[in-house]
Amino acid sequence: MSAFRDDGAAALEWAAAYLERVRELPVLSQVEPGAIRAALPERAPDAPEPFEAVLRDLDEVLLPGLTHWQSPRYFAYFATTGSEPGILAELLAATLNQVGILWRTSPALQELEEVTLGWLAELLGLPEGLHGHIEDTASTGLVTALAAARAAAPGKRVVVCSEHTHSSTAKAARLLELELRAVPGDDDFSMRLDGIDLTDACAVVATIGTTSSAAIDPVPALADRCAVAGAWLHVDAAYAGSAAVCPELRPLFAGWERADSIGVNPHKWLFTPMDCSAFWSCRPDDLRNAFSLVPEYLRASEDVVSLSEYSVPLGRRFRALKLWAVLRCYGREGLQETIREHLRLAALFEGWVREEPGWEVCAPRHFSLVCFRMDGSDEQNEALLERVNATGEAFLSHARLGGRFVLRLAIGNARTAEDDVRVAWDVLRREARA
Ligand SMILES: Cc1ncc(COP(=O)(O)O)c(C=O)c1O
């Protein structure tokens, strides 16, 4: 145990020092493919090594091969935060090593998961009484939703979504042998309603906060149509859902309370370390109908439905511990304050782009994502993005909107300050002039 204490202290010191210096590290890893593999031994050691050797190689071998998602200058895809309470809770979850296959194998794991998802639903303004559980990712949540939808509507095999829906919907449909029907988006990249036919649809996936531009699909109208057609409505709010903690943003979420299922990723914009994807449904019986399979060895005398009966995995990690820790240590006010600051920074950046001759904002901004480009060809914008990312000073990503290549700056790291956004803008303009 004394080695565990000493190694633990060293690991925690490493973690604290890393978070203090991460702003100075190149955000996007600058290594060539294969470089990290080449620096690692070909075989595991025969003799035991001390843990300090692992920490040493973390610094000397692995660090150059890390893209720093914890950097305040990480603006690519959707920026995330492994916050301090979440990090510590992960350590405790690994220490406890709970395996939630049945309620009795960890009553605290299951009941904390249910309670924490109830808390989060309340924080986001969702209705009371929803079934909630945690999935590893939103992609798995899509499989859960579409499998339940398929089982609930025998004979119907079509999933309707928009051309801007995240590819996880297409992947889930493919796995479940459902036919995907992606309808066009409008000028604001929101799903168009004209021409939607739900006659043979078992499900509709609507997105609040699409991946490319954070567009919002017309959820109330889709809920009306799903109700008439008997189709399952899944609302994918993987990124933007966390913003509903701010009551002034709730109008953007209109209609999601009528969904059959909803996915929100606390590991995206709610300061919870990867992985933690919240899944709610008002139709738990349909989930059980699709997923419940209890072999003899898992039969138990207590009258409790285990969470494994609502989705794919049998064994579940104690993910609720980190979400619970984050919700407690931030509190409603801390979550609101951080998200509002991100919205302020995104608005500031958007303003700089708008005011700068030769640059343009390319999509309406609802949340903390700004889509923009400089005047010039797609190739010039793509080359600009490559140059900016190669500096290591900031990391941005891209999307294709209306056939054009656009740059995306997504704010979502709790440590991002105005200066970091300013650095990104300075680098963009400097590299555009180069
Ligand atoms: C809107 C949306 N849905 C789903 C996903 C997939 O998320 P995950 O990585 O949790 O599967 C993403 C990822 O960025 C997303 O933006």
Side-chain angles (χ1 to χ4, degrees), residues 23 72-73 75 341 344-345 348 352 416-426:
R23 179 179 270 113
R73 295 182 184 168
F75 301 109
E341 174 64 1
R344 185 188 75 80
L345 293 175
L348 193 66
W352 295 337
T416 298
E418 193 172 316
D419 268 357
D420 298 305
V421 185
R422 169 60 74 181
V423 165
W425 182 224
D426 289 347

Side-chain angles (χ1 to χ4, degrees), residues 26-76:
V27 192
L28 176 66
S29 170
Q30 307 288 317
V31 298
E32 294 295 326
I36 300 299
R37 181 187 301 275
L40 291 165
E42 276 179 19
R43 283 194 312 277
D46 291 325
E49 293 186 64
F51 189 77
E52 66 186 57
V54 173
L55 275 187
R56 191 188 58 233
D57 284 352
L58 181 55
D59 268 323
E60 293 177 5
V61 181
L62 299 183
L63 205 64
L66 295 175
T67 289
H68 296 288
W69 286 74
Q70 292 280 53
S71 170
R73 295 182 184 168
Y74 183 107
F75 301 109

Side-chain angles (χ1 to χ4, degrees), residues 39 71 85 117 119 140 156 196 200 205 213 302 313 318 320 337 373 394 397 402 420 427:
S71 170
L117 280 240
W119 283 13
T140 308
K156 295 188 173 180
I196 288 188
D200 49 1
V205 176
S213 70
E302 61 269 4
F318 202 174
E337 199 180 300
R373 56 182 264 144
S397 60
D420 298 305
V427 174

Side-chain angles (χ1 to χ4, degrees), residues 17 37 51 77 108 115 171 196 223 233 235 247 264-265 298 363 405 422 431:
R37 181 187 301 275
F51 189 77
Y77 312 108
V115 167
K171 192 186 271 190
I196 288 188
L233 176 63
V235 170
V264 173
N265 278 4
L298 292 176
F405 185 98
R422 169 60 74 181
E431 295 302 323

Side-chain angles (χ1 to χ4, degrees), residues 240-257:
S242 302
V245 74
C246 302
E248 70 275 18
L249 297 177
R250 298 261 172 84
L252 301 175
F253 295 86
W256 75 335
E257 71 286 350

Side-chain angles (χ1 to χ4, degrees), residues 44-246:
D46 291 325
E49 293 186 64
F51 189 77
E52 66 186 57
V54 173
L55 275 187
R56 191 188 58 233
D57 284 352
L58 181 55
D59 268 323
E60 293 177 5
V61 181
L62 299 183
L63 205 64
L66 295 175
T67 289
H68 296 288
W69 286 74
Q70 292 280 53
S71 170
R73 295 182 184 168
Y74 183 107
F75 301 109
Y77 312 108
F78 284 122
T80 63
T81 313
S83 65
E84 288 84 344
I87 295 168
L88 294 175
E90 279 285 53
L91 172 69
L92 298 175
T95 305
L96 297 166
N97 202 26
Q98 298 289 283
V99 185
I101 53 177
L102 290 174
W103 173 85
R104 63 164 56 184
T105 64
S106 186
L109 178 153
Q110 170 151 344
E111 294 184 15
L112 186 70
E113 188 162 326
E114 290 164 341
V115 167
T116 306
L117 280 240
W119 283 13
L120 184 55
E122 193 276 329
L123 283 170
L124 302 184
L126 288 169
E128 277 178 31
L130 296 178
H131 157 88
H133 69 254
I134 301 178
E135 302 275 12
D136 53 0
T137 59
S139 302
T140 308
L142 253 311
V143 173
T144 305
L146 296 190
R150 185 181 70 168
K156 295 188 173 180
R157 307 289 287 189
V158 170
V159 177
V160 173
C161 65
S162 118
E163 59 173 327
H164 299 290
T165 303
H166 188 266
S167 54
S168 50
T169 292
K171 192 186 271 190
R174 190 164 80 188
L175 284 174
L176 295 163
E177 298 188 334
L178 297 170
E179 182 196 328
L180 192 73
R181 197 176 291 155
V183 304
D186 63 15
D187 291 346
D188 288 344
F189 315 110
S190 166
M191 196 191 296
R192 274 172 53 174
L193 290 168
D194 51 318
I196 288 188
D197 173 10
L198 299 185
T199 323
D200 49 1
C202 61
V204 172
V205 176
T207 309
I208 300 181
T210 59
T211 314
S212 46
S213 70
I216 300 171
D217 288 334
V219 179
L222 289 167
D224 288 345
R225 293 187 183 208
C226 284
V228 172
W232 183 288
L233 176 63
H234 179 75
V235 170
D236 178 358
Y239 150 66
S242 302
V245 74
C246 302

